[in-house]
């Protein structure tokens, strides 16, 4: 069933301090899924977009606004989050209560997740706009303003997994998104089979609602991988 909620209108905020630190899951996943210097994607488009969509939903779960259960999303608390993008996503869920299928929402949110997360990061100075191309073929890309900030989640998660350290709840979800969007291949490049097994064990021990979300992400991305290869 096609979801067609009306998006609330939000004004673009002024760009913030370039040293602003990302603390939101979708922002962190964006950094992990892009080169920390050039901003070039490490994932093919569908995997990236669905990963960002899942991260936005996971942010609302972390805020106690929604829960995932057996392939469906249930709204628990309808009051607006402080973050404008979380507010947009929650409003869409509330506006269409007849649509609760998690995969449906992943597909719908994936259509705009990249643009919206990029905008949110640009607003606080985590990304800067850069013109590339020649003459009439100019296009705008977004590049991290601070390479150290952009690389921090990637470095932290890669090292913690390789040394089999205990992950906090935030990084468990981030690791799950990496695994189920197939970003783990690059994240753990050169790592032993034991390290890759450890990653899967960590994700398998996530709370049931997180596992439900990740299972749907895996299914959606897996299907898009087959389409991408054919």
């Amino acid at each position: 069933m096609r979801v067609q909620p009306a998006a609330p209108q939000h004004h673009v905020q002024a760009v913030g301090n370039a040293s602003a630190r990302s603390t939101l899951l979708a922002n962190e996943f964006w950094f992990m899924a892009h080169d920390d210097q050039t901003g070039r994607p490490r994932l093919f488009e569908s995997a990236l977009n669905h990963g960002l969509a899942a991260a936005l939903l996971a942010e609302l779960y972390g805020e106690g606004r929604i829960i995932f259960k057996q392939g469906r999303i249930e709204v628990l608390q309808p009051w607006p989050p402080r973050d404008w993008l979380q507010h947009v996503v929650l409003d869409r869920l509330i506006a269409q209560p007849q649509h609760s299928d998690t995969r449906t929402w992943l597909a719908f949110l994936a259509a705009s997740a990249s643009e919206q997360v990029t905008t949110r990061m640009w607003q606080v100075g985590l990304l800067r706009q850069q013109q590339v191309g020649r003459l009439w073929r100019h296009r705008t890309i977004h590049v991290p303003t601070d390479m150290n900030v952009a690389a921090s989640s990637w470095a932290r998660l890669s090292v913690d997994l390789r040394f089999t350290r205990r992950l906090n709840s935030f990084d468990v979800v981030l690791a799950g998104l990496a695994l189920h969007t197939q970003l783990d291949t690059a994240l753990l490049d050169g790592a032993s089979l034991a390290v890759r097994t450890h990653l899967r064990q960590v994700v398998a021990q996530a709370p049931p609602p997180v596992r439900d979300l990740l299972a749907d992400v895996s299914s959606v991305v897996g299907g898009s991988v087959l389409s991408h290869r054919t």
Side-chain angles (χ1 to χ4, degrees):
M1 187 175 295
R2 187 173 179 82
V3 183
Q4 293 182 315
Q9 297 299 312
H10 293 270
H11 296 291
V12 175
Q13 304 296 315
V15 176
N17 190 307
S19 64
R21 181 70 175 92
S22 173
T23 57
L24 297 169
L25 188 65
N27 293 11
E28 295 287 335
F29 182 76
W30 192 100
F31 276 143
M32 287 188 60
H34 292 80
D35 184 89
D36 52 69
Q37 297 184 57
T38 66
R40 182 177 180 180
R42 291 176 166 133
L43 292 172
F44 65 91
E45 186 176 15
S46 181
L48 172 61
N49 292 342
H50 283 96
L52 288 170
L56 288 173
L57 290 173
E59 287 183 14
L60 288 176
Y61 166 74
E63 292 288 327
R65 300 301 202 277
I66 64 173
I67 195 166
F68 310 101
K69 187 182 299 183
Q70 297 179 338
R72 298 191 175 276
I73 299 174
E74 178 184 345
V75 176
L76 301 177
Q77 300 291 350
W79 64 75
R82 288 178 296 177
D83 177 74
W84 71 263
L85 183 48
Q86 291 178 5
H87 190 176
V88 168
V89 176
L90 183 60
D91 278 358
R92 288 173 171 172
L93 293 170
I94 293 171
Q96 296 285 343
Q98 71 273 30
H99 299 300
S100 60
D101 184 78
T102 304
R103 295 183 194 180
T104 298
W105 280 107
L106 285 171
F108 176 75
L109 295 173
S112 58
S114 181
E115 179 182 357
Q116 291 177 324
V117 173
T118 299
T119 297
R120 182 173 69 176
M121 295 173 71
W122 170 77
Q123 289 173 352
V124 296
L126 292 169
L127 301 176
R128 61 181 173 83
Q129 295 180 340
Q130 179 175 307
Q131 297 293 322
V132 297
R134 297 180 179 179
L135 299 176
W136 61 89
R137 295 184 178 179
H138 281 176
R139 61 189 178 92
T140 302
I141 63 171
H142 288 82
V143 179
T145 55
D146 187 326
M147 183 179 66
N148 293 323
V149 170
S152 62
S153 292
W154 179 280
R156 180 185 72 250
L157 199 56
S158 180
V159 170
D160 285 351
L161 287 169
R162 291 169 194 266
F163 284 89
T164 63
R165 296 171 182 164
R166 184 180 181 85
L167 303 185
N168 60 32
S169 58
F170 184 95
D171 279 353
V172 167
V173 180
L174 201 57
L177 291 173
L179 175 64
H180 291 296
T181 58
Q182 303 184 15
L183 185 59
D184 61 306
T185 302
L187 179 67
L188 298 180
D189 184 37
S192 67
L193 178 60
V195 171
R196 297 180 183 278
T197 300
H198 173 64
L199 168 60
R200 293 185 175 276
Q201 291 173 339
V202 166
V203 174
Q205 294 169 5
V210 174
R211 295 203 305 269
D212 279 355
L213 171 63
L214 293 175
D216 285 319
V217 174
S218 180
S219 178
V220 171
V221 172
S224 65
V225 167
L226 292 177
S227 299
H228 181 72
R229 289 175 177 172
T230 58

